[in-house]
Amino acid sequence: MAVNSALYVGSVAHRRLRPKAHRLRYRVFALLLDLDELPALDKQLRLFSLARFNLFGFRAQDHLFARAGDLRSEVESILRDAGLEARGGAIRLLTMPRILGFAFNPLSIFFCYRVDGAIQAILYEVNNTFGQRHAYLFPVNADRKELRHDCSKQFYVSPFVAMDMAYSFRIKPPGDAYTISISVADDAGDLLIATQRLARQTLDDHALLRVFLSHPLLTLKVIAGIHYEALLIWLKGVGLHVRPPPPDRAVTVVIKQNSEKESLSCQI
């Protein structure tokens, strides 16, 4: 029986500080999927299917670069290339599922654990609306309730945010609750702060039906909401930034040296 996978329900909010203030807040939900439990979930749940059409679905090909559909092997390959342990520890993905066959996830997060149960890395998968994808891998050196890490921006996401920016992540890995705060800043200070707060619920058919009725067609609304909010920001007079080519490598590995200076190395 699947015991680590769960449903998380809550909200996401963005606050833009300059050059024009802008706020948004939406109700959202996500699934925490233990990759080893996917076959069991496919059997246990009537409303969730693995690689088949259903009210809710999951396809490995929607994430990272797993053309063969073996998502665990791809994550483990990324860990090995970064010099981290990849010997069968749990890998849990927080993401929105396909809903009636459609999915778009601006951000999905892989929580990678060692065999002793301690978290060893977080892999952020970022998708933009131009069909491009990039991932940031942060090794974790301490098992704290809140994890903090920073890096320079490597991947174009929004036409209203320049590339010469830095990210600061503050994340509490999924337990009874899950929270993340991401600030986007330049030399002048914070430009944008995004937060997500979710509460854990049991993943079963009743819960899935409940969130489908309370958050109908969520993944379609996400892509519609992105374009709607972009229109509002543009009407406020915020200028556009030209989209550069994507990074040469698909994964950026971010490692802190003893001097606390950031070291970026693209491994994949």
Side-chain angles (χ1 to χ4, degrees):
M1 180 178 180
V3 295
N4 295 309
S5 301
L7 171 68
Y8 281 80
V9 182
S11 63
V12 62
H14 286 201
R15 181 163 61 99
R16 188 184 182 101
L17 305 176
R18 53 186 171 85
K20 300 289 186 179
H22 186 76
R23 292 174 180 260
L24 65 88
R25 185 178 183 276
Y26 290 98
R27 295 185 305 141
V28 296
F29 68 86
L31 300 185
L32 180 68
L33 300 172
D34 188 306
L35 298 188
D36 292 334
E37 294 179 352
L38 286 171
L41 292 171
D42 185 50
K43 293 179 181 179
Q44 294 168 12
L45 300 173
R46 294 182 178 181
L47 300 182
F48 175 89
S49 292
L50 181 61
R52 291 182 291 111
F53 181 83
N54 202 334
L55 188 63
F56 296 92
F58 180 83
R59 294 181 183 270
Q61 291 87 346
D62 291 338
H63 297 278
L64 296 179
F65 318 98
R67 297 183 181 88
D70 188 352
L71 201 51
R72 167 175 270 283
S73 293
E74 180 156 14
V75 174
E76 288 182 338
S77 176
I78 293 170
L79 295 176
R80 280 193 298 271
D81 286 342
L84 299 175
E85 181 180 310
R87 296 186 298 151
I91 300 172
R92 295 168 190 152
L93 169 62
L94 188 73
T95 189
M96 287 184 291
R98 283 180 173 247
I99 299 177
L100 294 175
F102 180 80
F104 176 75
N105 275 282
L107 177 67
S108 296
I109 305 176
F110 293 83
F111 298 90
C112 308
Y113 297 83
R114 295 194 295 265
V115 291
D116 63 3
I119 190 167
Q120 69 161 336
I122 296 180
L123 180 64
Y124 295 89
E125 175 193 86
V126 183
N127 290 280
N128 63 27
T129 55
F130 307 98
Q132 298 171 327
R133 177 177 297 163
H134 191 70
Y136 298 86
L137 178 70
F138 292 87
V140 174
N141 298 319
D143 198 1
R144 300 190 180 98
K145 289 184 178 179
E146 181 181 75
L147 302 174
R148 300 187 176 196
H149 36 251
D150 311 289
C151 73
S152 58
K153 181 179 178 181
Q154 303 292 309
F155 178 64
Y156 184 90
V157 179
S158 167
F160 301 102
V161 180
M163 287 297 297
D164 188 18
M165 293 280 169
Y167 291 132
S168 291
F169 298 84
R170 305 293 181 264
I171 184 169
K172 293 183 180 179
D176 291 336
Y178 158 80
T179 62
I180 186 172
S181 173
I182 305 172
S183 65
V184 185
D186 57 16
D187 292 339
D190 286 341
L191 173 75
L192 174 70
I193 300 173
T195 59
Q196 190 176 46
R197 295 181 175 88
L198 305 175
R200 183 183 179 108
Q201 297 184 13
T202 300
L203 179 56
D204 58 28
D205 283 318
H206 290 96
L208 288 175
L209 181 59
R210 191 163 56 247
V211 293
F212 178 77
L213 295 176
S214 60
H215 304 68
L217 301 178
L218 176 63
T219 51
L220 186 61
K221 286 184 176 180
V222 166
I223 195 70
I226 289 172
H227 288 91
Y228 171 71
E229 299 294 343
L231 175 62
L232 295 181
I233 293 172
W234 180 74
L235 290 173
K236 289 182 177 182
V238 178
L240 301 176
H241 296 273
V242 175
R243 174 164 55 99
D248 293 335
R249 304 293 184 178
V251 180
T252 295
V253 179
V254 184
I255 300 173
K256 287 287 187 179
Q257 305 292 345
N258 292 334
S259 64
E260 292 302 312
K261 284 188 175 182
E262 176 189 302
S263 174
L264 296 178
S265 57
C266 299
Q267 302 285 349
I268 301 299

